[in-house]
Amino acid sequence: MRSAREQRYGEEAEPRGPAGGDEAAAAATVAITADGLPEWLDPVVRAAATVEPRQLSRFLPPENGGRQSAVLILFGHGPRGPELLLMERAGTLRSHAGQPSFPGGALDPEDGDPEGPGPVRAALREAREETGLDPSGVQVFGVLPRLYIPVSGFVVTPVLGWWRRPSPVGAVDQAETARVFTVPVADLTDPAHRVTTRHPSGHTGPAFLVEDALVWGFTAGVIDRILHYAGWEIPWDRDKQVPLDWRS
């Protein structure tokens, strides 16, 4: 018997009702499959199939409440090998301003059931709206357990994707996205680029100094756990701390 998570996400998402243009692309059936992935992604596939929520974060969704959302953790292959797609949020936003993050956002009603295909559709739709990504070039190969961001009340489903057919990306709306960039996995695993951040509240967490950015918070926490459970982590100095600005 398959696990509840496999039953929920391991089958094709049912298409939505009639739509046109870009909405039709977002509404297309999305199959979740690991077939044909590059071998270097095998450790991520195995980790995604077995990891438990508390292995990813101590912040788990409440039994009731929270705003359902999803992010796209998109792996590609660039000039320096495997890489991840990230974006930097505009500094004028009310929530997580100026913070590097995965593409993503809240589920819309048309995305469908949050217990079914909704998170996958939302992750692809938001990635398209924020970065200009063509979702048809993305192979979704897994879905991680739901996590929680207490400061914003978001219940987040991380969706794993392989950028099978890369497409041009960039900041679609400067009011929301400052820039879009890729980070080589080699830089994320390099101990020289790894630090611990300390928030004014006293909370500490893993972070990455890459591509002229400090990746921290939820995004850094998920990356850190993926590197760990995929077996890609290289020992690093956890005592090397970087303070966060009081506005963060």
Side-chain angles (χ1 to χ4, degrees), residues 25-147:
T29 298
V30 179
I32 301 178
T33 175
D35 292 344
L37 294 176
E39 289 186 5
W40 59 263
L41 270 174
D42 287 349
V44 181
V45 175
R46 289 193 294 269
T50 59
V51 71
E52 296 297 326
R54 289 202 177 276
Q55 292 177 303
L56 292 175
S57 175
R58 64 187 180 93
F59 298 114
L60 302 183
E63 292 186 7
N64 297 296
R67 190 175 183 188
Q68 296 294 326
S69 63
V71 296
L72 179 63
I73 304 175
L74 184 60
F75 290 90
H77 195 279
R80 295 182 53 208
E83 60 186 18
L84 272 177
L85 179 70
L86 296 177
M87 51 175 274
E88 186 175 307
R89 295 169 60 83
T92 54
L93 292 176
R94 294 176 57 186
S95 178
H96 307 292
Q99 190 171 344
S101 67
F102 301 117
L107 269 67
D108 284 347
E110 60 267 27
D111 291 323
D113 186 1
E115 298 294 327
V120 172
R121 288 179 177 153
L124 294 173
R125 174 183 55 77
E126 286 282 345
R128 185 190 74 246
E129 293 175 358
E130 292 175 332
T131 73
L133 172 79
D134 181 359
S136 69
V138 175
Q139 177 180 338
V140 176
F141 66 87
V143 178
L144 297 178
R146 287 188 179 93
L147 304 175

Side-chain angles (χ1 to χ4, degrees), residues 195-213:
V195 295
T196 297
T197 53
R198 177 175 291 276
H199 195 274
S201 66
H203 174 71
T204 61
F208 302 84
L209 290 165
V210 290
E211 301 298 323
D212 297 321

Side-chain angles (χ1 to χ4, degrees), residues 168-219:
V169 292
V172 174
D173 184 352
Q174 291 287 342
E176 293 188 0
T177 307
R179 63 173 175 141
V180 177
F181 58 100
T182 56
V183 180
V185 171
D187 285 351
L188 293 168
T189 59
D190 186 343
H193 296 158
R194 304 212 56 180
V195 295
T196 297
T197 53
R198 177 175 291 276
H199 195 274
S201 66
H203 174 71
T204 61
F208 302 84
L209 290 165
V210 290
E211 301 298 323
D212 297 321
L214 174 64
V215 182
W216 63 283
F218 173 85
T219 302

